[in-house]
Amino acid sequence: QADLVESGGDLVQPGGSLRLSCLATGFIRDYFALGWFRQAPGKEREGVAYITIKDKTTHYSDSVKGRFEISRDDEKRMVNLQMNSLKPEDTGVYYCSTLWSPYDFEHATGDYWGKGTQVTVSS
């Protein structure tokens, strides 16, 4: 059992920055990683980034590499996503999820999910 609560979504202009947070509590230790996903209306959910539980190794989708950074604050039990140089195509609901393997990231098949936080990039 894991509980995930996202926060930080907002309306921002193209080129702007935003920081999302995920409070992750419960039985997390045995998972491979915690990941961020997003879903725009009419589109499939896609992986954005993940960070491993064991050693904090990070991985990013090609579309956000160089612009986004995922990190962990273990004292606060938070997984953060710093988003820079935002584009309109970054718009969507962003979710935090527990992953058993890289397969879960590539296929958006995470075990537990938060309810999501809305990010809108528009002039």
Side-chain angles (χ1 to χ4, degrees):
Q1 173 67 34
D3 291 304
L4 307 169
V5 181
E6 304 94 339
S7 62
D10 206 349
L11 170 65
V12 296
Q13 297 185 56
S17 297
L18 196 62
R19 186 176 181 86
L20 305 182
S21 295
C22 171
L23 176 62
T25 59
F27 192 63
I28 304 294
R29 187 172 295 177
D30 286 347
Y31 285 98
F32 164 72
L34 291 166
W36 281 99
F37 298 78
R38 67 188 181 190
Q39 187 168 24
K43 305 202 72 174
E44 295 184 356
R45 191 170 298 183
E46 63 175 346
V48 175
Y50 69 73
I51 184 165
T52 64
I53 302 299
K54 182 179 180 180
D55 59 10
K56 296 186 179 180
T57 297
T58 60
H59 177 81
Y60 301 89
S61 67
D62 289 341
S63 64
V64 308
K65 191 173 297 182
R67 299 189 297 122
F68 291 10
E69 183 178 3
I70 189 170
S71 62
R72 276 170 44 193
D73 184 336
D74 293 342
E75 184 176 358
K76 296 181 179 179
R77 292 186 172 272
M78 291 283 193
V79 178
N80 302 309
L81 185 69
Q82 178 65 47
M83 306 185 294
N84 302 312
S85 302
L86 284 162
K87 306 174 181 178
E89 50 262 47
D90 293 318
T91 293
V93 179
Y94 282 67
Y95 300 89
C96 186
S97 184
T98 54
L99 313 178
W100 286 118
S101 73
Y103 179 96
D104 282 343
F105 179 79
E106 299 297 332
H107 296 85
T109 51
D111 196 2
Y112 288 91
W113 296 83
K115 290 181 169 58
T117 186
Q118 177 71 47
V119 173
T120 302
V121 185
S122 180
S123 298

